[in-house]
Each structure stands twice: as structure tokens, then as C-alpha cells.
């Protein structure tokens, strides 16, 4: 068995992750307050709408994420869907930098560190948390939604700011 093979299924992990990288996704920064009072946040592509009644969103967090424990215990968290032009913010929150909030504009919205520039903001009350495998599923009931007009930041095959091609031409 190779290192990139799932023990239970024998499925090659590299093939699975390559397949999933071809799923076009939006990108969002998920934030909350740590028990220390400091903000924390990470970039996710796993954001999706979960239910309409009640309005709920779902994100999936790797157990290796430094935010995982704070998110699993928090009463509220924020979801910031990023717009085109926020590639730098995406890379900052995908990193394991010491202070990811140093160079972004933000403020507290209750327990949620709210980023100023994201075109879509959801403040969520944590309603379900469960583990499966090496990730934690987090469902939040949406208490506040703000939407500004902007084109989305789109990820495809690990490339940020991917754009649709029409007749083989990447759109501006
Ligand atoms: C395009 C992209 C999508 C990602 N999606 C997720 C995700 O859905 N869930 C997750 O836990 N990590 C995801 N990550 C990885 C985290 O952003 C990354 O591990 C980050 O360093 C975690 O930060 P932290 O340890 O400070 O929490 C993604 C990274 C990239 C580049």
C-alpha cells in the first residue's frame, strides 16, 4: 500500500483529490473568536447552502486546522465569500501565518471577526457539529446576511481566480 492510499477503502487518495480539484468552487474565509479572545480564520472551498428553513450554511474543517477546536466550540462563526480581486486575502487565510488579520480590515460583530471587503457575509449561530474521518462538519443557522455586487473568486484545479472560457478564450 502506498502512502496515498486510503486504508479502509484502498482508494488512491491522490486520484480522489485530483478529481475533487476539478469541482469548480467559490472560496470563503470562515472566522470565529478563539477562547483566548483572539480572532482566527481559514480559507475553505467546502462552503455550501445547507437548508432554507431554517436558512443554514455548512462548512467542513480539517482536524489539522488550528481553527478547528475554536470552530467546533464556538456559538457563532462568520462566512465571508470572497470576490475577484481578493486572491491575496485567500492566500493569507490558506496559510498558517502568525497573524492573518494584521493586513486585512476587520471588526468584531458579536463573537465574529468580520472582514470588511468580502462581498458576501453570513453570521451563523452554530447549530450542529460532528466529526467524520479527518474533518469536522459545521452547520450554522444564518442570523445575518449581507450581499454586495461583485464577481466571485473561483477556484478550479488549485488555481485561484479561475474564469470561464468562451470558445476557448479566458474571459476578462
Ligand atoms: C483552495 C483551498 C481550499 C481549502 N478548503 C479547505 C476546506 O474546505 N476546509 C479546510 O479545513 N481547509 C481548507 N483549506 C486549507 C486551509 O485553508 C489551510 O490548511 C489553512 O492553513 C488552515 O489554517 P489554520 O491552521 O490557521 O486554521 C483550503 C485551502 C485552499 C488553498
Amino acid at each position: 500500500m502506498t502512502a496515498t492510499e486510503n486504508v479502509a477503502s484502498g482508494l488512491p487518495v491522490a486520484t480522489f483529490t485530483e478529481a475533487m480539484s476539478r469541482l469548480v468552487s467559490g472560496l470563503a474565509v470562515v472566522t470565529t473568536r478563539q477562547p483566548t479572545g483572539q480572532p482566527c480564520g481559514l480559507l475553505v472551498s467546502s462552503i455550501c447552502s445547507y437548508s432554507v428553513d431554517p436558512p443554514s450554511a455548512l462548512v467542513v474543517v480539517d482536524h489539522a486546522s488550528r481553527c478547528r477546536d475554536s470552530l467546533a466550540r464556538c456559538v457563532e462563526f462568520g462566512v465571508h465569500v470572497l470576490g475577484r480581486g481578493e486572491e491575496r486575502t485567500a492566500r493569507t487565510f490558506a496559510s498558517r501565518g502568525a497573524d492573518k488579520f494584521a493586513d486585512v480590515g476587520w471588526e468584531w460583530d458579536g463573537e465574529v471577526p468580520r472582514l470588511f471587503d468580502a462581498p458576501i457575509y453570513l453570521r451563523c449561530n452554530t447549530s450542529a457539529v460532528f466529526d467524520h474521518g479527518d474533518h469536522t462538519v459545521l452547520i450554522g443557522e444564518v442570523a445575518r446576511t449581507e450581499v454586495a455586487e461583485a464577481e466571485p473568486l473561483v477556484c478550479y484545479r488549485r488555481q485561484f481566480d479561475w474564469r470561464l472560457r468562451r470558445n476557448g478564450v479566458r474571459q476578462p
Side-chain angles (χ1 to χ4, degrees), residues 82-111:
L82 300 179
R84 218 174 116 180
E86 291 189 281
E87 202 175 325
R88 191 160 166 251
T89 302
R91 292 196 190 283
T92 298
F93 282 90
S95 77
R96 291 175 73 89
D99 185 3
K100 300 183 188 183
F101 291 81
D103 295 324
V104 294
W106 68 279
E107 66 182 7
W108 287 108
D109 178 20
E111 298 278 296

